[in-house]
Amino acid sequence: MASSGTDNAMFRLGDDLVVRMPRIHWASGGVDHEAHWLPLVAGRLPVTVPRVVAVGEPTPEYPWTWSVLTWVPGENPRLGELHEPAVLARDLAALLRAVRAMDLEGGVDRARPLAHRDAQVRDDIAALTDEIDTAAVTAIWEHALATAEWTGQRSWVHGDLAPGNLLLVDHRLTGLIDFASIGIGDPALDLGVAWNLLPPSARAVFREALEVDDVTWTRARAWALAQALVQLPYYRDTNPALAANARHVIREVTAEA
């Protein structure tokens, strides 16, 4: 399958299944993690999620764990081509409320302070001096470090709420895939979709629907920025789709600040 994903190669298997095979050794752990949690998540969210049909064991020919999943129908939303962005914003808010409300036990701890990413963010900014407003981006990041560090309670997070993992049918959010990063952490981690997909007007609808306070919004914006700053220099020459989305996020975050 054509995909902007970098960790796994995806292959259709008939009409109803998909094979997910890691491209790199560290992605194999995500297959095991997803295979454990997907059966527990099933039925708890207002969208369709994949069902694990089989898990393949490593062999000398292919040394990593891989999986067969049910195919989730739908199309990925595209930047600038959303039919009713405000409706999608409300759908996303409803999905995140359901994710946070899951009462599962034993989730992997995904909690990290913003300061944990500080050195990486500054290295990435330095690598992008020819492409971004480094002073503006640095100011946004430093403001978040100084005012928005997380001190709240952990909640369930999907961990990768990117356009490529969302599926729409008739312009409504109906599916969610890639649960390799699901765990317990800062709920702001899942708010990055506000900048990587939604236009400003729908972003406001999304924020209002989730009742996000100023400190959490500032921190969520910083997490989205940090992710984009990692992606852009790394994928600039190898993955045009991810690089384009990273540029978009940086523009949106800078314009909003």
Side-chain angles (χ1 to χ4, degrees):
M1 292 173 50
S3 169
S4 62
T6 58
D7 298 350
N8 297 275
M10 308 288 285
F11 302 88
R12 288 297 298 268
L13 182 61
D15 294 332
D16 301 322
L17 301 174
V18 62
V19 180
R20 189 178 191 204
M21 303 188 74
R23 299 178 186 271
I24 191 167
H25 65 90
W26 47 259
S28 182
V31 174
D32 290 325
H33 186 72
E34 184 175 59
H36 173 78
W37 287 106
L38 271 175
L40 303 177
V41 170
R44 297 174 182 266
L45 303 180
V47 295
T48 301
V49 302
R51 180 172 57 85
V52 180
V53 176
V55 176
E57 299 295 332
T59 69
E61 290 77 20
Y62 182 78
W64 307 317
T65 305
W66 53 283
S67 60
V68 181
L69 306 162
T70 52
W71 176 255
V72 179
E75 297 183 358
N76 297 132
R78 298 180 182 274
L79 288 172
E81 299 180 15
L82 301 179
H83 180 64
E84 293 184 280
V87 173
L88 178 58
R90 294 187 186 95
D91 286 348
L92 287 165
L95 171 61
L96 285 187
R97 284 195 297 270
V99 169
R100 295 173 182 179
M102 292 192 301
D103 58 353
L104 302 173
E105 298 291 337
V108 173
D109 186 0
R110 302 293 187 192
R112 298 290 185 274
L114 283 174
H116 180 77
R117 292 289 291 272
D118 188 41
Q120 179 69 57
V121 165
R122 294 181 189 279
D123 287 345
D124 294 330
I125 291 172
L128 293 167
T129 54
D130 61 336
E131 194 164 352
I132 66 172
D133 184 339
T134 57
V137 169
T138 301
I140 293 167
W141 177 250
E142 291 181 344
H143 173 71
L145 284 177
T147 66
E149 196 56 272
W150 179 50
T151 58
Q153 293 185 336
R154 289 168 169 79
S155 72
W156 278 94
V157 293
H158 175 266
D160 193 10
L161 210 64
N165 292 332
L166 302 170
L167 292 162
L168 310 184
V169 174
D170 295 331
H171 309 293
R172 298 299 301 270
L173 181 63
T174 56
L176 178 64
I177 61 174
D178 193 349
F179 284 74
S181 298
I182 189 171
I184 302 286
D186 181 355
L189 292 171
D190 276 344
L191 299 181
V193 69
W195 294 274
N196 68 33
L197 177 61
L198 297 176
S201 59
R203 194 178 304 147
V205 172
F206 176 71
R207 179 179 179 180
E208 181 179 1
L210 283 171
E211 300 179 338
V212 182
D213 61 74
D214 289 344
V215 172
T216 303
W217 194 252
T218 296
R219 188 171 64 257
R221 185 172 58 202
W223 278 122
L225 178 63
Q227 183 68 17
L229 290 171
V230 166
Q231 289 178 337
L232 182 50
Y234 190 80
Y235 293 120
R236 182 161 41 187
D237 299 321
T238 59
N239 194 314
L242 277 182
N245 189 263
R247 290 187 183 96
H248 171 81
V249 170
I250 294 168
R251 286 195 301 269
E252 293 297 297
V253 167
T254 305
E256 185 182 278

